[in-house]
């Protein structure tokens, strides 16, 4: 299992545990509509890789992902496995719905020499991660988990987990990130939440970044 997939699995289990004590009263129709609208936004944000970060470029399969981004969003929103109708019916039957991580996105980003020549690669990884989360931040989401570090002599990892769960904020600087959040009240649990995990791995020997983006959510 890759480090990114392992992190996703751990965080999903943590999310389930955190919500285990939430009340079982069913979400209201307005809360269900809000949940489905936010699901559509998450899918749109996760798939929005059409424009690479300035100073970087896509190649190979990454170019194809970018070119078909709009079609991919539409397919995922209408996917036979978890269409909006099915999600709504699940909530109406059980008062609870957990949307597990799907296939997500994985793609490579080329880092031209000028983009990394005079910059620490850890900062480059942070900037890439923040760039792909820009739509989430614009919508008021915040980073609730940060994981950085070297996994070997030739690779560097940087992982952010974005969320709309409760209230919180993050401040980003060149060398660090400050994270703060507060617990939610029972009505917020019934409203539901989403997490988006963005993991960036930079292979230092070839100056290329591998980006993994995934999402999951829960209501009720």
């Amino acid at each position: 299992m890759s480090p990114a997939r392992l992190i996703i699995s751990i965080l999903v289990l943590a999310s389930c545990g955190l919500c285990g004590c939430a009340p079982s009263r069913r979400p209201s129709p307005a809360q269900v509509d809000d949940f489905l609208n936010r699901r559509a936004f998450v899918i749109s944000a996760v798939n929005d890789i059409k424009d690479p970060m300035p100073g970087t470029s896509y190649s190979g399969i990454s170019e194809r992902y970018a070119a078909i981004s709009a079609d991919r969003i539409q397919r995922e929103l209408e996917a036979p496995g978890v269409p909006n109708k099915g999600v709504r019916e699940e909530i109406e039957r059980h008062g609870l719905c957990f949307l597990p991580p799907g296939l997500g996105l994985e793609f490579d980003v080329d880092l031209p020499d000028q983009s990394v020549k005079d910059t620490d690669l850890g900062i480059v990884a942070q900037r890439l991660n923040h760039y792909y989360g820009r739509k989430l931040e614009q919508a008021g989401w915040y980073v609730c988990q940060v994981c950085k570090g070297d996994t070997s002599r030739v690779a560097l990892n940087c992982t952010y987990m974005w969320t709309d769960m409760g209230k919180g904020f993050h401040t980003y600087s060149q060398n660090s990130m400050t994270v703060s959040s507060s617990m939610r009240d029972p009505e917020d649990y019934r409203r539901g939440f989403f997490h988006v995990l963005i993991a960036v791995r930079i292979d230092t020997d070839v100056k290329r970044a591998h980006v993994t983006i995934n999402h999951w959510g829960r209501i009720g």
Side-chain angles (χ1 to χ4, degrees):
M1 180 181 292
S2 69
R5 295 296 183 190
L6 178 60
I7 292 172
I8 290 173
S9 300
I10 293 172
L11 292 176
V12 169
L13 291 174
S15 298
C16 293
L18 178 64
C19 297
C21 59
S24 60
R25 182 164 63 84
R26 295 177 185 274
S28 69
Q31 288 170 325
V32 176
D33 289 341
D34 175 65
F35 182 74
L36 294 177
N37 287 335
R38 285 184 294 130
R39 173 178 176 255
F41 166 74
V42 170
I43 291 173
S44 175
V46 167
N47 284 281
D48 185 21
I49 63 168
K50 290 183 178 179
D51 301 315
M53 187 178 79
T56 70
S57 60
Y58 297 137
S59 62
I61 191 171
S62 302
E63 288 183 325
R64 182 171 65 83
Y65 270 133
I68 65 173
S69 180
D71 291 339
R72 182 184 173 92
I73 292 170
Q74 193 66 28
R75 286 200 308 273
E76 198 158 345
L77 285 172
E78 298 176 353
V82 284
N84 280 351
K85 181 180 178 182
V87 173
R88 190 182 298 276
E89 290 175 348
E90 179 73 11
I91 297 170
E92 289 174 351
R93 280 198 303 266
H94 304 292
L96 170 69
C97 183
F98 178 66
L99 302 175
L103 296 176
L105 283 178
E106 292 193 42
F107 56 95
D108 292 325
V109 178
D110 292 326
L111 306 173
D113 290 340
Q114 60 267 27
S115 70
V116 297
K117 182 178 179 181
D118 301 314
T119 306
D120 180 87
L121 286 178
I123 296 176
V124 174
Q126 288 180 352
R127 289 175 180 171
L128 271 170
N129 209 314
H130 204 75
Y131 179 81
Y132 288 109
R134 66 196 186 282
K135 287 183 70 172
L136 301 172
E137 184 174 45
Q138 291 166 357
W141 289 43
Y142 65 97
V143 177
C144 64
Q145 296 282 347
V146 181
C147 181
K148 296 181 293 183
D150 295 312
T151 56
S152 69
R153 289 189 305 106
V154 296
L156 183 146
N157 288 332
C158 176
T159 300
Y160 291 172
M161 187 171 77
W162 296 79
T163 187
D164 65 349
M165 181 172 65
K167 297 178 180 179
F169 73 89
H170 68 276
T171 56
Y172 175 80
S173 66
Q174 180 168 311
N175 298 315
S176 65
M177 176 172 290
T178 301
V179 176
S180 177
S181 62
S182 62
M183 294 298 291
R184 303 173 355 134
D185 62 34
E187 194 65 18
D188 286 332
Y189 280 106
R190 283 186 289 271
R191 177 178 183 260
F193 67 85
F194 283 91
H195 292 326
V196 174
L197 184 139
I198 305 177
V200 175
R201 170 192 167 98
I202 292 184
D203 295 318
T204 57
D205 55 343
V206 295
K207 299 297 189 296
R208 177 177 295 166
H210 184 74
V211 180
T212 302
I213 308 177
N214 217 318
H215 62 91
W216 60 96
R218 175 171 174 159
I219 186 174

